[in-house]
Amino acid sequence: MPAQNPRGGGCFDGLFALLMAVADIAALVAAGLMLGLRGWAQSSQGGERASAAPSDPPMDWTPAVWFGVVFAVMVLLAYACWTGGLRITGGVQAAFAVLAGILLSVVLAQEYDRSHPEPAAPAPSSTYHGSYSQCRSGGDSHECLGG
């Protein structure tokens, strides 16, 4: 059986949910801003890195760790609020935790794609394979190259 709200009424729960939503938005914006500034600083140093070996860059785990921490804190707060009787706040926290989980998945996918680029397409090769290849004109082998 869930614990009863000792503060009484849903007004406190609603206001606390609003306060937590503002804090969640601030945390997500701060994490995104820090990652954006970090990416901007790395791109401004791109000329120095271009002279290095053209190998694939290693996966950068920093964005995943930042969004992972934000996600974990939101999940723990949602659980604590829900079990503490603050159902509205727990539901709002759970919704923001889902959003943070989606952002974490997107960040992980982007970092994986960046660190594992697709191989370049092979150069087109000639369709002619010596004197035994089939003539495309439909004529006999004397009309084709090598025949």
Side-chain angles (χ1 to χ4, degrees):
M1 179 182 244
Q4 296 296 325
N5 189 353
R7 293 168 182 85
C11 185
F12 174 78
D13 192 13
L15 290 175
F16 193 59
L18 181 64
L19 177 69
M20 293 300 285
V22 169
D24 291 341
I25 291 170
L28 290 173
V29 167
L33 184 64
M34 284 189 284
L35 292 176
L37 290 175
R38 186 173 179 269
W40 178 66
Q42 288 177 349
S43 68
S44 67
Q45 298 172 353
E48 298 171 7
R49 292 184 179 186
S51 62
S55 64
D56 294 340
M59 189 160 169
D60 186 11
W61 287 98
T62 304
V65 169
W66 284 357
F67 276 105
V69 167
V70 170
F71 173 70
V73 168
M74 287 183 183
V75 167
L76 290 174
L77 284 174
Y79 178 75
C81 290
W82 189 265
T83 58
L86 300 173
R87 302 291 186 204
I88 297 171
T89 305
V92 170
Q93 280 298 111
F96 276 101
V98 168
L99 176 65
I102 291 170
L103 289 174
L104 175 62
S105 299
V106 167
V107 165
L108 282 171
Q110 285 179 345
E111 283 300 318
Y112 182 83
D113 287 344
R114 185 190 62 80
S115 65
H116 297 88
E118 291 184 21
S125 62
S126 172
T127 58
Y128 178 71
H129 298 292
S131 62
Y132 297 105
S133 68
Q134 184 177 6
C135 183
R136 292 186 177 196
S137 68
D140 60 3
S141 63
H142 295 287
E143 294 178 6
C144 296
L145 293 174

